[in-house]
Amino acid sequence: MAQPDSKKIFFENLSGAGKAIAVLTSGGDAQGMNGAVRAVVRMGLYVGAKVYFIHEGYQGMVDGGDNIKEATWESVSSMLQLGGTVIGSARCKEFRTHEGRLKAAHNLVQHGITNLCVIGGDGSLTGANLFKEEWSGLLNELVEQGLIEADAVQKYSALHIVGMVGSIDNDFCGTDMTIGTDSALHRIIEVVDAIMTTAQSHQRTFVLEVMGRHCGDTGLYHLCVFPSYLALVSGLACGADWVLIPEMPPEDGWEEKMCQKLSANRAGMKRLNIIIVAEGAIDRNNKPITTEYVKNLVVKCLGFDTRVTILGHVQRGGTPSAFDRILASRMGVEAVLALLETTANTPACVVSLCGNTSVRVPLMECVQMVSAALCWKQSKTLTYSIGINFNVAVLNVGAPAAGMNAAVRSAVRVGISEGHKMFAVSDGFEGFYKGQIKEVKWGDVGGWTGQGGSLLGTKRTLPAKHVEKIAEQMRKHNINALLIIGGFEAFLSLLELLTARGKYEEFCVPMVMVPATVSNNVPGSDLSIGADTALNAITTTCDRIKQSASGTKRRVFIIETMGGYCGYLATVGGLASGADAAYIYEEPFDIKELQANVEHLTEKMKTSIQRGLVLRNENCNENYTTDFIYQLYSEEGRGVFDCRKNVLGHMQQGGAPSPFDRNFGTKISAKAMQWVSKKLVETFRQGKVNDSCCLLGMRRRTLVFQPVVQLKDETDFVHRIPKEQWWLKLRPLMKILAKYKTSYDVSDSGQLEHVVHNRPKDSDASVAM
C-alpha cells in the first residue's frame, strides 16, 4: 500500500523537555472537552513536558493552591466518553480585573508554567490573549512586590497561548466545527425524532426552542451576537417546516406565510408539523419571537393541536459523539505541537478544523469575526422553482448506509425546485433494467431525512450485463441525467456506463455519483455518507462493552468491525473509543507485533488501567482472525487479564442517521443536483447531452467534482479501496494516546492561516423546508 510521502518531520525532533503546559476549560461546558484535555495531557507527557490541570477554569488559576495539579497518564484514563469537563469550569469575575490576573500570573510562575492550553468560548480565549499581552508587566509587578525573584522575569519572559474552541453553538469564526456542536445536535435530533412519533400519532404541531442565544461565554470582552447554528442545522436534519433565527429576522407578514405553509403540508397528508425557534429569535422590529407566541399563532389561525418543547440544557448533556471525540483528540495533539513550536513573537492562536485538515488561526482575528453557520442558503434552495424541464433519475447502489434517504430527499426536492421531473429507481440497477421506475413528487420524500437504510431499496448489481435493457428504460422514460448514491459498486457502475456510451447514446447524459457507504472506501472522497453513523454505533457499543467490565477484574475486549479491506472504521473508531490497538489491512502486521501489543497491554494492566480495547477490521488478515487474536490475547494475558470478543456486524449499517450524515447527505446531494442542472442547461444539444460523468467528493476542505476516469489510477480495484487514504495519518496519534512508543508525522500539522469571513446578502431568516 502507498505510504505517506515526501518529507517527514517526526515529532521526536520536537522536545518538550523542561516545558510546563497547563490545560484548563472555561466558560460553558461542551461534550468533548474531556477528550481534548486527555489528548493535551498524553501528548504533552509523551514529548517530555510537565502537564498541569487547572481546575475550575480561570477561577482556579486565580485561587491557585490545589486547583493547579500535575497530571499523570492515568489521571485522564476513562474520561474520553464522559460529557462535560471533569476538571471543572467556572465564571470568574476576578480574572477580569488586573489584580485577578496578577494573582493568576503569580500562581503560574510558582509552578514554572508558561504554556497555556485554553479550551473554551470566545470570551475565555480573549481573556487568555489579554493575559498574554500583559504578562511581562505582571511579572515586573510581582518582582516589585517581592513575590518572585528578579531572574524569574527573564526565565519566564513569555506566556504562550493556544486555544481550542469548546462551544455547542458553533459560534466561532475560523473553524468548521467547535468541540461539542455535533454532540449537541445529537441530543436535539434524538428529542426531535422522539417528538415526531407522538406528533404523527395525534396530528400535532410542535414548536421547539433550541439554544444559541449567547455567543461563547461571559468572559472578557464578551461579544453579544446571536448564533443559530443549532437551529439551522437541526431544522435541516429533521426536515422542519419552519425555522426562525435572530440573525435574519423574517420579513413582515411572516406569520401568514408560515401558516399557509403549515396548512399546505397538512393538506398534503402530512400528519405533523415541526417549527424550530432559536433562542433569541426576533422580527424586523426587534420584537422577540417566542415559542409561546408561535404556538398561540398556530392555534388561533389554524386550530392545530400545538405543543411547545424547550430543550434547554439537555443539549449540553450526555456523552460526546464520535465526531467530537475525534475532533477533540486531534485538536488536543495539535495544540501541544503548536505550543512546542511557539516563539516569543508567536501570536496566540486557535487550533481548528477546516474540512478534515488541521489549521491554526490567530486568536484575535477569530474573535473579531464570530460567525453563525449559513446553512439557510442551502435550505432556501429547496423552496423555489426556476422552471427548467428535464427528467432526472435517482437511485441507490451498493449496501445501505444511514443518510442515503436524506440524500435522495435533497436531490428530489432540489430537482423539483429547479423545474425537473424527478424519477426514483427502486433496487438499484436491478430495478432499473426491470423497469421499477416512477416519478416522485415533493411530498413523496417527506419524513425521509431521519430514516435509516434505503427506502428506495439498494442492490449491489452492476449495470454491465444489463446495459441494453437499462438503455431501453432510459429511452422509454426520456431520462436526461442520472444521480447515483452509493458505495464502491456505484463507482464501478459509473465506469461501466461510461464504457457503454460508445454503443448506447442514452448514456451520453450527465451522470454524477454521491458517495454513501459505511466503509468510507470510495476513491475521490475523504468522507462518505453513512460512515459517521457507523462510527457512532461502534463508539457507543464499545462504551457499553467497556462499562460491562466495570467493577470486575481486568479485562480486554476484542472487537471486529466492518469495512471490507478498508480500515477506516477500525482506526477512527479506535481513536474515538480509546482503543489500545486497531488491526487493519492497509498496515500489515505479523505475530511479533501481535505479541508486542499483548505485552504492552499486560504492562498497562499491571500498573493502571482495568479495561483494554482492541479493534480488528474484518479483512485485515486472512490468518490472524478475530478468533485467533482472541485466543492469543487470552493465553498470553493469563493471570493478568481475561478476554472477551464481539463481532459488531450489520448493526454498524443500521439505525437512524447521525446529524452529520443527515446534513452531509443533504448538502452534497443538493450540490450534485445543481451541477446536473447546470450541465443540462449549458450543454443540451438536439435532445442529447454528451458530458463527463463525475464523482462529487469531499477533498480535504472542499466538495470537488472529479471525472471518474481520472480516479481509476487512484484505485486499488482488487481490494476496493483508494491507494492513498488520509486517515492513515491518524494511526500514530491513536498509538500515542494509548502509550505506545511511535513516530508522529507532523509534516501535515496545522499552519497559521488568516480568517476570511463572508456575510450573506439575503436577510430573510424564515426558512421553509
Side-chain angles (χ1 to χ4, degrees):
M1 302 305 301
Q3 298 297 320
D5 60 355
S6 72
K7 15 184 208 175
K8 299 180 185 303
I9 308 169
F10 293 108
F11 103 105
E12 287 116 320
N13 298 332
L14 299 169
S15 175
K19 289 202 172 189
I21 299 172
V23 57
L24 70 148
T25 53
S26 178
D29 65 307
Q31 309 96 316
M33 280 184 165
N34 289 323
V37 171
R38 171 180 176 267
V40 170
V41 170
R42 292 195 167 177
M43 190 63 177
L45 294 174
Y46 202 78
V47 298
K50 278 189 175 182
V51 185
Y52 291 87
F53 292 136
I54 298 180
H55 292 271
E56 310 306 333
Y58 287 117
Q59 188 66 57
M61 192 188 298
V62 172
D63 294 341
D66 290 340
N67 289 304
I68 303 177
K69 293 182 179 178
E70 189 170 352
T72 65
W73 193 276
E74 292 74 22
S75 61
V76 292
S77 295
S78 302
M79 66 187 292
L80 184 60
Q81 71 274 19
L82 300 178
T85 166
V86 298
I87 62 174
S89 180
R91 312 289 185 187
C92 182
K93 293 182 179 179
E94 194 172 358
F95 189 75
R96 302 183 196 182
T97 67
H98 182 79
E99 292 74 16
R101 294 191 291 277
L102 189 65
K103 289 181 183 179
H106 184 215
N107 290 327
L108 292 186
V109 170
Q110 284 183 317
H111 290 87
I113 298 169
T114 56
N115 297 278
L116 274 183
C117 181
V118 181
I119 308 168
D122 69 281
S124 302
L125 298 176
T126 306
N129 190 68
L130 178 61
F131 193 37
K132 171 183 169 66
E133 291 174 350
E134 292 183 343
W135 182 255
S136 296
L138 293 173
L139 294 190
N140 289 329
E141 284 187 51
L142 291 173
V143 171
E144 292 173 4
Q145 295 178 17
L147 295 176
I148 62 174
E149 299 295 329
D151 61 353
V153 175
Q154 182 64 32
K155 186 176 181 181
Y156 306 115
S157 59
L159 178 68
H160 305 296
I161 302 287
V162 172
M164 284 182 278
V165 189
S167 167
I168 67 169
D169 297 321
N170 202 32
D171 57 357
F172 202 83
C173 195
T175 183
D176 288 350
M177 288 285 276
T178 58
I179 297 169
T181 301
D182 188 69
S183 300
L185 284 171
H186 273 258
R187 301 293 92 77
I188 295 170
I189 295 305
E190 287 166 6
V191 172
V192 173
D193 284 352
I195 282 174
M196 289 178 76
T197 58
T198 184
Q200 193 166 30
S201 300
H202 298 279
Q203 296 193 64
R204 283 180 176 152
T205 296
F206 269 86
V207 185
L208 286 82
E209 180 183 281
V210 302
M211 278 186 169
R213 179 178 176 82
H214 299 293
C215 172
D217 54 44
T218 56
L220 293 171
Y221 301 106
H222 172 69
L223 301 178
C224 186
V225 297
F226 300 91
S228 302
Y229 181 88
L230 293 179
L232 287 165
V233 177
S234 59
L236 201 60
C238 70
D241 297 276
W242 207 265
V243 177
L244 293 157
I245 62 173
E247 289 87 352
M248 293 164 283
E251 61 186 17
D252 294 339
W254 66 269
E255 294 95 337
E256 182 180 353
K257 290 183 179 180
M258 184 187 73
C259 289
Q260 289 175 352
K261 172 69 174 174
L262 299 180
S263 181
N265 285 349
R266 194 62 66 91
M269 304 305 293
K270 186 175 181 181
R271 294 178 57 84
L272 74 154
N273 300 110
I274 298 291
I275 302 168
I276 292 182
V277 181
E279 188 180 8
I282 54 174
D283 63 18
R284 295 199 173 184
N285 299 309
N286 288 324
K287 178 183 177 182
I289 301 175
T290 65
T291 50
E292 281 298 323
Y293 177 78
V294 175
K295 172 193 171 182
N296 294 335
L297 176 68
V298 174
V299 171
K300 178 181 177 181
C301 296
L302 301 176
F304 291 173
D305 186 3
T306 307
R307 299 286 190 273
V308 170
T309 299
I310 298 176
L311 298 183
H313 282 75
V314 71
Q315 295 159 92
R316 290 191 186 275
T319 60
S321 66
F323 183 96
D324 274 329
R325 299 185 197 196
I326 297 160
L327 174 64
S329 297
R330 291 182 66 184
M331 295 302 97
V333 169
E334 184 67 31
V336 173
L337 293 175
L339 286 171
L340 292 179
E341 295 170 5
T342 53
T343 66
N345 298 321
T346 303
C349 71
V350 176
V351 294
S352 58
L353 187 74
C354 187
N356 64 7
T357 304
S358 299
V359 297
R360 303 173 191 174
V361 287
L363 189 156
M364 292 313 297
E365 285 188 19
C366 297
V367 170
Q368 289 163 7
M369 291 195 286
V370 177
S371 68
L374 303 179
C375 301
W376 62 277
K377 293 174 74 175
Q378 183 65 65
S379 302
K380 286 183 69 62
T381 304
L382 309 185
T383 65
Y384 64 91
S385 173
I386 61 176
I388 314 171
N389 188 14
F390 292 103
N391 294 347
V392 181
V394 181
L395 66 158
N396 295 153
V397 177
M404 275 184 165
N405 296 321
V408 172
R409 170 186 176 268
S410 177
V412 168
R413 291 196 168 179
V414 170
I416 292 173
S417 75
E418 297 191 345
H420 306 315
K421 281 188 177 180
M422 300 300 297
F423 289 83
V425 181
S426 300
D427 298 332
F429 283 106
E430 185 173 317
F432 210 139
Y433 81 81
K434 291 180 179 178
Q436 296 172 200
I437 306 168
K438 66 176 182 179
E439 186 179 355
V440 58
K441 302 289 188 179
W442 185 281
D444 295 335
V445 292
W448 280 36
T449 306
Q451 298 198 48
S454 168
L455 294 175
L456 281 185
T458 182
K459 300 281 188 181
R460 297 179 184 270
T461 305
L462 297 178
K465 295 181 180 179
H466 311 285
V467 287
E468 185 176 353
K469 293 182 179 179
I470 294 172
E472 182 183 336
Q473 293 296 331
M474 294 272 288
R475 186 166 55 252
K476 177 181 177 180
H477 293 89
N478 191 28
I479 301 300
N480 304 119
L482 283 180
L483 172 58
I484 304 173
I485 302 166
F488 200 86
E489 291 85 358
F491 174 62
L492 295 176
S493 298
L494 272 186
L495 290 173
E496 292 182 357
L497 293 177
L498 189 61
T499 301
R501 278 181 172 176
K503 189 174 181 180
Y504 300 97
E505 67 172 6
E506 285 80 8
F507 299 124
C508 296
V509 297
M511 294 185 287
V512 62
M513 173 191 164
V514 169
T517 169
V518 301
S519 301
N520 198 35
N521 64 333
V522 176
S525 187
D526 294 344
L527 295 173
S528 298
I529 299 167
D532 183 73
T533 303
L535 282 175
N536 277 286
I538 293 169
T539 303
T540 301
T541 304
C542 287
D543 286 350
R544 293 176 179 176
I545 287 173
K546 288 196 293 184
Q547 191 178 48
S548 71
S550 180
T552 67
K553 59 183 179 180
R554 294 180 175 90
R555 181 166 290 168
V556 174
F557 296 95
I558 314 296
I559 310 295
E560 181 182 300
T561 66
M562 296 178 77
Y565 286 95
C566 181
Y568 176 81
L569 291 181
T571 296
V572 184
L575 181 61
S577 56
D580 296 278
Y583 301 115
I584 63 172
Y585 167 78
E586 292 91 341
E587 195 173 278
F589 58 96
D590 55 22
I591 192 66
K592 292 181 180 179
E593 183 172 345
L594 287 170
Q595 182 67 34
N597 290 343
V598 174
E599 292 173 358
H600 176 80
L601 197 49
T602 300
E603 287 303 310
K604 288 174 66 177
M605 284 285 186
K606 288 179 180 178
T607 58
S608 57
I609 67 170
Q610 299 293 314
R611 290 157 287 176
L613 185 66
V614 175
L615 271 61
R616 177 190 177 273
N617 167 247
E618 59 185 351
N619 287 342
C620 65
N621 190 290
E622 62 180 347
N623 295 313
Y624 300 138
T625 63
T626 301
D627 284 335
F628 177 91
I629 294 175
Y630 162 71
Q631 291 168 6
L632 177 66
Y633 272 74
S634 296
E635 180 61 31
E636 297 300 319
R638 191 184 299 274
V640 179
F641 59 81
D642 64 359
C643 276
R644 295 290 186 273
K645 64 178 178 179
N646 195 300
V647 178
L648 300 185
H650 284 77
M651 66 169 291
Q652 295 158 89
Q653 286 183 328
S658 68
F660 182 95
D661 278 330
R662 298 183 194 201
N663 290 298
F664 184 46
T666 299
K667 177 181 179 180
I668 193 171
S669 191
K671 189 174 181 70
M673 274 304 306
Q674 290 165 348
W675 178 86
V676 166
S677 294
K678 181 181 178 182
K679 291 298 179 183
L680 286 170
V681 172
E682 286 179 353
T683 61
F684 188 73
R685 294 291 184 273
Q686 298 178 350
K688 288 295 171 188
V689 176
N690 193 342
D691 199 76
S692 63
C693 66
C694 291
L695 181 147
L696 174 57
M698 171 69 77
R699 288 285 202 173
R700 292 176 67 86
R701 304 188 184 190
T702 56
L703 291 173
V704 182
F705 289 96
Q706 304 148 95
V708 292
V709 173
Q710 294 180 11
L711 296 175
K712 290 174 69 174
D713 293 337
E714 302 178 20
T715 306
D716 176 355
F717 286 95
V718 175
H719 299 100
R720 299 160 61 88
I721 55 176
K723 290 179 179 178
E724 294 187 10
Q725 304 188 83
W726 68 272
W727 51 265
L728 286 171
K729 294 180 180 179
L730 300 181
R731 288 187 61 76
L733 189 155
M734 181 188 70
K735 291 180 179 179
I736 288 170
L737 297 180
K739 212 175 183 179
Y740 283 88
K741 294 296 181 184
T742 189
S743 297
Y744 185 58
D745 179 7
V746 298
S747 61
D748 197 39
S749 62
Q751 303 299 316
L752 192 65
E753 300 184 1
H754 295 286
V755 179
V756 177
H757 184 58
N758 297 316
R759 296 296 300 175
K761 295 179 181 178
D762 193 334
S763 60
D764 188 0
S766 56
V767 180
M769 284 175 271

